[in-house]
Amino acid sequence: MRITFVGNPGEAVRRCLAPIVVALLALVGAGEAAAGPATLVMREVPLRGERGLSTIADRRGFDYLGLHWKGGGRISFRVLQQAGRWSDWYAADRDAGPDGATSEAARSGGWTIGEGLWVGRATRLEVRASVGVSRVRAYTVRSPVSRVPTRKLASAQQPAVVTREGWQADETIRRNEPQSAATLRFAVVHHTAGTNDYRREDAAAVVRAIQLYHVKGNGWNDIGYNALVDRFGTVYEGRWGGLEQNIVGAHARGFNTGSFGIAVMGEFTTRVPSAAAQAALVQALAWRLDLGHVDPLSTFDVISAGNERFPPGIPVFLRAIGGHRDTGLTACPGQRLYDLLPTLAARAAAIGLPKLYEPAVTGTAGGPLMFTARLSAPLDWVFTAVDAGGATVFESTGVGPTITVPWDPTALEPGVYSWRIDAPGVTPAQGTLDTAVSVVALAFTGAAVEPETIAPDGDGTLDTTALTYRLNAAANVGITVHDPEGTELAVLEAPRWRKAGEHTVTFDGLGLPDGVVELRLLATAAGGRSAARSVRVAIARTLGGVRLARAFLTPNGDGRDDSLTVRFSLAGPAQVRLRILRGSRWTATPFSGPLAAGAQIIEWDGSKRVGTLREGTYLAVLEATDPVATARVSLPFVADWTPPKVSLVSLDPLRLRVNEPVTLRIRADGLRRLVSVDRPGLIRIAGIRRPRTLVVTAVDSAGNASQPLRRSSH
């Protein structure tokens, strides 16, 4: 069955640059292209020595600039504004672009594509190149000011948008029809770099300049972003194909499919986006992610299609609203905007409630299916499936925050069926089901490790963790270990065939240094299907040898188990905390504070700040936090200080009654016996009949002894 869903770093860089300074805007070797009111000129930059500085005026002026260069070095540049003031030096940041081959320039000889930026009206350009740069090309764009109208689409949550027609996109330069992704999974936030001081009337000209540079300069099909936001709070439609569609852009190489790229116009390394820009960004993200049923606060793994940071096939842990730097080697969207993303995501999550999240279907090819989804609040919901003629073939209803619908369509005639999940006030999820095609999307329906921190030092404490995952269909599954930068450290399990269902693999971390690693799972199956998942494990060898002297606490003053003794060792200094839990409820914290390396003992006498300790089963949870992670060990113990009870039922045969599991110490007519009793109730003692003298004491597992039971016939 086939299921379809409808639905500025400048100073550090400048210090590393060699003092090779070059000038641009010579009036030779230039190529020109026009796109509507915007025009682009490409020139070769004559690389010269430090003392051969030459600045040549561009009489017509330019507003937007992008650089391409060959070689392994770096470049920076500045421009002379029309008012006669030189700008700051900018470090040329590489642009990401489409997945696969990036552009005609890149395909024709190893050119690095630089990110374009709006510079305002400028007349001169200076470029610095480090050793290793062999050629530089400059693309300058002049894009005049024009007035633009905004529009509002049908959705009540969509912000006002300047359409492509409004900002005068040149549709004649588009190279190919856009591609669409099956689903939307996440959003990538960018900045366009350049000046933040553009005027309101300049904003559309900035968007036109970006389109012209992306197409004529970089060789892309169209403007790379799906949408843009200016500092005045206006949203602009980006790549052709419609904001409501899952159009594949060219903004985050390796991660364009299934993502929504939105750029805030300006540079935000040291400056914070305006309040208006933030509000428009939040509203645009809230609306677009709601269309895709994506929780703005969710996280997941995305398989890279390949770029300079993440090779093809690598699962990468991303946020639903993340920054360009999360997917590649770039400073975009600037540190100040990047730091705001968690707050902006929370704001987006609160807009337009209620919402429906994560519609999914799992099942076995040719068998029953399970449709699931999540609601932002408990609601009445309904699942409906109809045939090609609109007749209902299946319906299910329910109430609550989660939606789970089992449906077996195998009895239906082969064909295409439409399904829909709806609830009051939400954007419905809908799609199609082709029962004639026996392919079900492959997915990991769960993956987790327990414990999350290990200390593989061979002392028997936290030496290993269990990775448990669940597959919805049979597939080849391989598991690799990676560091936080994505470098593969080890192969935990080579690809092997796994049936649908739950599987467990042990990871010991042996041979790996302390730190956080990712266990990356990659499943592949017939039909080109694949799925990825990753979980993180911390390796921290600071805590070891954790044990209880005895797993009992009997604070009754008899000198036996009056305190709970926890023994452990620290390989280095750590912040240590010992908590006492009963079930999942906190009971007491006997110790919290820093401890030095070495053997350690913590004793607890059962006292609490509030209330008194009750008898029962508890957990002593010891945590040690070092610079890597928090290691945690849970040790069960029993608090018991009440003696057991034993009573005589009969002497012939000898029968006794106890109220809990105990060890009976029996002395009958001088004969001594020990009898273990594993449950409360009536106990018959074989081999003893009508004793003349009898003494019985019951001792429970905590060491509490009953009052002796005595009987004598004298």
Side-chain angles (χ1 to χ4, degrees):
M1 301 174 189
R2 176 175 294 146
I3 298 109
T4 304
F5 287 84
V6 182
N8 177 9
E11 185 58 36
V13 174
R14 288 198 296 273
R15 287 198 301 268
C16 75
L17 293 176
I20 301 174
V21 183
V22 299
L24 172 67
L25 303 181
L27 301 179
V28 294
E32 184 168 345
T39 55
L40 175 145
V41 176
M42 185 278 287
R43 295 179 176 88
E44 289 282 340
V45 177
L47 298 178
R48 298 173 182 171
E50 180 181 7
R51 298 185 182 277
L53 177 62
S54 174
T55 56
I56 302 174
D58 182 351
R59 297 184 182 89
R60 68 177 198 135
F62 59 94
D63 308 294
Y64 186 88
L65 169 69
L67 298 176
H68 294 184
W69 65 95
K70 295 185 69 172
R74 296 183 178 183
I75 59 176
S76 65
F77 59 92
R78 66 175 182 171
V79 298
L80 181 63
Q81 304 291 344
Q82 195 173 44
R85 179 177 56 85
W86 283 99
S87 71
D88 293 334
W89 284 93
Y90 295 100
D93 198 4
R94 69 173 65 223
D95 212 334
D99 298 338
T102 59
S103 71
E104 291 178 355
R107 289 195 296 268
S108 63
W111 286 89
T112 296
I113 294 176
E115 188 174 47
L117 69 162
W118 182 263
V119 295
R121 185 56 53 89
T123 57
R124 297 183 183 184
L125 168 69
E126 288 183 358
V127 178
R128 284 175 174 165
S130 69
V131 174
V133 175
S134 59
R135 293 178 65 184
V136 177
R137 287 174 177 169
Y139 296 81
T140 56
V141 179
R142 183 171 183 178
S143 184
V145 170
S146 62
R147 293 188 177 183
V148 296
T150 61
R151 64 154 177 166
K152 185 89 169 180
L153 293 191
S155 171
Q157 298 299 331
Q158 184 183 354
V161 174
V162 176
T163 65
R164 289 173 63 89
E165 180 182 8
W167 58 263
Q168 299 177 24
D170 191 338
E171 308 297 1
T172 66
I173 66 172
R174 285 193 288 107
R175 293 172 177 262
N176 294 303
E177 292 299 304
Q179 296 180 326
S180 296
T183 58
L184 178 72
R185 298 192 65 193
F186 59 104
V188 180
V189 177
H190 303 256
H191 69 178
T192 62
T195 178
N196 293 314
D197 300 326
Y198 55 86
R199 302 167 299 172
R200 185 185 298 270
E201 54 268 30
D202 291 329
V206 175
V207 182
R208 284 196 303 273
I210 294 173
Q211 183 202 23
L212 184 56
Y213 174 63
H214 282 183
V215 177
K216 292 297 186 179
N218 297 348
W220 303 348
N221 291 339
D222 192 4
I223 189 170
Y225 309 117
N226 298 101
L228 302 94
V229 177
D230 69 21
R231 69 188 185 98
F232 305 99
T234 304
V235 180
Y236 298 79
E237 181 182 8
R239 176 160 286 213
W240 187 82
L243 284 175
E244 302 91 338
Q245 307 303 314
N246 300 326
I247 300 300
V248 178
H251 57 91
R253 185 174 173 222
F255 299 87
N256 287 310
T257 301
S259 67
F260 178 73
I262 184 166
V264 183
M265 292 154 60
E267 191 276 331
F268 304 109
T269 299
T270 59
R271 294 178 61 174
V272 176
S274 68
Q278 292 183 46
L281 178 62
V282 165
Q283 190 175 10
L285 288 170
W287 166 78
R288 189 60 189 89
L289 293 182
D290 184 38
L291 285 185
H293 304 292
V294 177
D295 183 349
L297 299 177
S298 61
T299 58
F300 39 77
D301 293 291
V302 179
I303 298 178
S304 171
N307 62 28
E308 68 283 354
R309 180 180 179 187
F310 298 111
I314 294 296
V316 179
F317 183 79
L318 295 177
R319 297 172 291 176
I321 297 179
H324 186 190
R325 66 175 62 179
D326 295 329
T327 66
L329 295 175
T330 176
C332 181
Q335 191 63 48
R336 300 301 295 274
L337 176 52
Y338 186 79
D339 290 342
L340 284 174
L341 293 183
T343 299
L344 299 179
R347 290 171 59 183
I351 292 178
L353 297 174
K355 297 179 182 179
L356 187 152
Y357 300 133
E358 303 166 5
V361 58
T362 57
T364 304
L369 301 175
M370 182 70 74
F371 289 80
T372 58
R374 181 167 60 88
L375 294 166
S376 60
L379 295 171
D380 294 318
W381 54 264
V382 59
F383 173 91
T384 308
V386 300
D387 61 19
T392 300
V393 297
F394 181 78
E395 183 175 277
S396 179
T397 61
V399 180
T402 58
I403 298 172
T404 304
V405 179
W407 179 34
D408 187 352
T410 55
L412 300 174
E413 291 292 327
V416 178
Y417 295 83
S418 299
W419 58 269
R420 177 181 173 111
I421 303 175
D422 210 346
V426 307
T427 301
Q430 52 194 334
T432 59
L433 168 67
D434 188 347
T435 60
V437 180
S438 57
V439 176
V440 170
L442 184 64
F444 288 101
T445 57
V449 290
E450 180 59 40
E452 297 179 345
T453 300
I454 59 174
D457 50 16
D459 69 352
T461 302
L462 297 176
D463 283 341
T464 63
T465 186
L467 166 63
T468 302
Y469 65 91
R470 178 175 289 276
L471 278 171
N472 72 320
N476 284 299
V477 179
I479 308 172
T480 51
V481 185
H482 297 255
D483 66 16
E485 301 302 319
T487 302
E488 183 177 310
L489 303 175
V491 176
L492 179 58
E493 186 173 273
R496 58 185 297 186
W497 188 251
R498 294 290 196 180
K499 296 180 179 180
E502 187 171 284
H503 304 274
T504 300
V505 178
T506 299
F507 173 63
D508 58 20
L510 293 178
L512 298 177
D514 284 12
V516 178
V517 297
E518 284 188 356
L519 307 184
R520 296 181 175 178
L521 300 93
L522 180 62
T524 57
R529 294 175 295 159
S530 65
R533 198 73 175 258
S534 71
V535 294
R536 296 188 176 188
V537 177
I539 302 175
R541 295 176 174 86
T542 298
L543 179 65
V546 183
R547 66 189 187 278
L548 295 177
R550 268 178 50 85
F552 298 99
L553 174 63
T554 60
N556 53 12
D558 65 356
R560 180 183 176 88
D561 298 329
D562 285 337
S563 63
L564 186 75
T565 302
V566 183
R567 301 179 184 271
F568 59 98
S569 63
L570 295 175
Q575 187 73 23
V576 175
R577 181 172 67 165
L578 176 64
R579 294 184 299 149
I580 307 300
L581 304 180
R582 186 169 191 180
S584 60
R585 299 186 63 181
W586 170 82
T587 295
T589 303
F591 180 84
S592 180
L595 290 177
Q600 308 289 344
I601 297 177
I602 298 176
E603 293 191 342
W604 179 53
D605 62 3
S607 61
K608 299 172 56 182
R609 286 190 303 172
V610 179
T612 57
L613 186 70
R614 297 181 180 180
E615 292 186 330
T617 300
Y618 292 83
L619 284 178
V621 181
L622 184 68
E623 299 170 328
T625 302
D626 64 11
V628 173
T630 297
R632 182 179 294 105
V633 178
S634 297
L635 302 171
F637 70 94
V638 175
D640 182 3
W641 51 86
T642 301
K645 295 180 180 180
V646 58
S647 59
L648 178 65
V649 176
S650 67
L651 288 173
D652 190 16
L654 180 58
R655 292 187 297 175
L656 305 169
R657 186 179 300 277
V658 295
N659 67 332
E660 62 175 298
V662 294
T663 297
L664 295 175
R665 300 173 180 173
I666 303 173
R667 189 175 63 197
D669 294 337
L671 178 67
R672 298 176 182 272
R673 292 182 60 179
L674 293 178
V675 178
S676 295
V677 180
D678 58 5
R679 61 180 182 273
L682 185 65
I683 306 298
R684 179 171 178 173
I685 309 299
I688 300 178
R689 300 177 63 87
R690 207 178 280 279
R692 293 187 299 276
T693 60
L694 176 68
V695 180
V696 179
T697 304
V699 182
D700 64 18
S701 55
N704 300 304
S706 69
Q707 291 292 328
L709 169 68
R710 301 178 185 273
R711 288 291 184 271
S712 174
S713 59
H714 299 295

